[in-house]
Amino acid sequence: MPHVDSIKQNLHKVGIVYIFVAIVDFLHTLAYKGMGVFPNWTSNQPTQFWIAGRLLETLGFVLILYFPKLSERTLFFLFGPLTTFLITSIWTGVFPDCFIEGFGLTEFKISMEYIIIFVLLAVLVRTLRSKDISISTFRKPLVAAVILTIFGELSFTLYSDVYGFFNFLGHVFRFLSYMVILRGMIVNALANPVRALLFELHEEKEKLKEIAHRDSLTGLFNRAFFNEWIQDQVRKAQFQNVPLSFIMIDVDDFKQINDTYGHLTGDKVLKFVARCISDSIRSSDFAVRYGGDELLVVLYTPANNKQNGSLRG
């Protein structure tokens, strides 16, 4: 089932992205001076890890939403080396400074926060406009997570002390964003797989129903559909006191066409006649291949049409 498969693929992709984001965020936590893990580091390194984590997270959103055909394997082998490069660049001091003791946030750090916010806004718009069922299934939690992340990034442009209020507020937004991703996208998707399966089964049922009601040669409704439809409509017509009108059509000398030019030519004639009828009737009417070269047009009166609507499709 393609929709269920695409939902699973997106779940796998989100999981891959957040594995690497979690690694960087874990190092961000350990890098704080108060943790005592890296005693020679300053407040610069945890801030660098923060920017690296947000870059990975934002890139992951962009790739999942804008490049849906990107495979999980490709995403993994892209994020693995990229995460390694970012961690190594911070460890060796190559990564640009993000926080200077006694001065505060650097221009690079603030600029990167605003760039990340801008990209997240584009991701938000894309999410809201997407008609992809695999995206719409997670639309609400994804939108909430992106909005919380944006608020968090805005908070992280305002602090001058790594233990200050806005730094704390940014981490609160970060925590809530993680909770939304976990609860809304992962837990719900794993706990309610039946919903996606039922949706897929409903679509397949509708497709099979449409196929069963159509004549394979002409594309018109078939006799089985008409027989089912007329039983219900006769009762409605009697109850509402409205007429039912039909036009019966057959192709003159159709047997002679088959005998002279062959059945393939006869099929072409039937398809041509069916197309002419479909193009000529009103949108409220519909045509039926009743049998052989016999065609039927059902004419809706205004009262009947108001009650039942058009069946053309």
Side-chain angles (χ1 to χ4, degrees):
M1 295 184 177
H3 288 165
V4 175
D5 290 341
S6 62
I7 291 172
K8 290 180 180 178
Q9 288 172 1
N10 279 339
L11 275 176
H12 294 162
K13 292 176 184 179
V14 170
I16 290 169
V17 170
Y18 273 91
I19 284 174
F20 294 105
V21 171
I23 291 172
V24 176
D25 281 355
F26 181 65
L27 289 173
H28 161 75
T29 303
L30 294 181
Y32 267 87
K33 290 187 293 184
M35 299 294 291
V37 178
F38 305 106
N40 295 327
W41 282 4
T42 67
S43 298
N44 183 39
Q45 284 79 11
T47 310
Q48 289 174 320
F49 278 120
W50 178 265
I51 289 296
R54 302 297 65 75
L55 287 173
L56 288 174
E57 184 178 24
T58 304
L59 177 62
F61 282 142
V62 170
L63 292 177
I64 291 172
L65 287 169
Y66 285 88
F67 302 92
K69 294 184 179 180
L70 192 70
S71 68
E72 297 99 311
R73 181 185 295 270
T74 302
L75 195 66
F76 182 85
F77 285 108
L78 173 64
F79 269 70
L82 180 58
T83 303
T84 303
F85 169 76
L86 290 172
I87 294 173
T88 303
S89 66
I90 294 171
W91 212 285
T92 58
V94 175
F95 197 91
D97 289 334
C98 293
F99 188 92
I100 299 175
E101 297 286 353
F103 175 77
L105 300 175
T106 64
E107 291 184 359
F108 169 79
K109 199 270 187 183
I110 295 175
S111 299
M112 290 305 300
E113 295 283 16
Y114 283 117
I115 291 173
I116 290 170
I117 290 170
F118 176 79
V119 176
L120 287 174
L121 287 173
V123 167
L124 185 62
V125 172
R126 178 77 172 187
T127 305
L128 291 172
R129 291 182 176 180
S130 177
K131 296 181 179 179
D132 186 348
I133 184 64
S134 64
I135 299 298
S136 62
T137 303
F138 311 122
R139 192 189 311 278
K140 289 183 179 179
L142 186 57
V143 167
V146 171
I147 291 175
L148 287 168
T149 302
I150 290 173
F151 282 137
E153 297 309 299
L154 287 172
S155 298
F156 284 119
T157 64
L158 300 174
Y159 72 90
S160 57
D161 180 2
V162 293
Y163 296 103
F165 171 74
F166 284 107
N167 196 338
F168 167 76
L169 183 62
H171 281 90
V172 171
F173 283 126
R174 176 73 268 171
F175 174 76
L176 292 175
S177 176
Y178 267 130
M179 289 299 295
V180 168
I181 288 291
L182 178 64
R183 177 66 182 174
M185 296 186 67
I186 308 302
V187 174
N188 283 348
L190 295 176
N192 300 302
V194 175
R195 181 174 55 186
L197 288 171
L198 288 176
F199 181 86
E200 191 74 23
L201 288 172
H202 175 73
E203 280 203 337
E204 292 297 326
K205 179 182 177 181
E206 291 300 314
K207 289 179 183 178
L208 291 174
K209 186 176 180 180
E210 177 70 13
I211 292 172
H213 286 165
R214 293 284 181 177
D215 175 58
S216 59
L217 177 64
T218 63
L220 303 179
F221 286 106
N222 57 28
R223 185 170 181 171
F225 167 78
F226 176 77
N227 289 340
E228 180 182 328
W229 176 86
I230 193 65
Q231 294 177 13
D232 182 54
Q233 291 303 311
V234 167
R235 289 192 297 269
K236 287 184 178 180
Q238 291 174 343
F239 177 76
Q240 297 166 4
N241 194 28
V242 294
L244 290 173
S245 303
F246 310 95
I247 300 175
M248 199 72 182
I249 304 169
D250 66 359
V251 181
D252 291 342
D253 301 321
F254 184 69
K255 183 177 183 305
Q256 186 176 346
I257 294 174
N258 279 334
D259 293 342
T260 305
Y261 301 102
H263 288 278
L264 290 178
T265 301
D267 289 346
K268 291 180 181 179
V269 170
L270 281 177
K271 288 193 285 187
F272 175 75
V273 172
R275 186 167 63 252
C276 290
I277 292 173
S278 296
D279 293 341
S280 302
I281 60 179
R282 301 171 303 178
S283 61
S284 58
D285 306 329
F286 67 94
V288 178
R289 186 184 181 190
Y290 196 70
D293 64 332
E294 295 177 334
L295 306 172
L296 185 67
V297 176
V298 178
L299 304 174
Y300 272 102
T301 62
N304 201 334
N305 185 41
K306 182 178 180 181
Q307 294 291 331
N308 300 292
S310 172
L311 292 179
R312 292 187 70 194

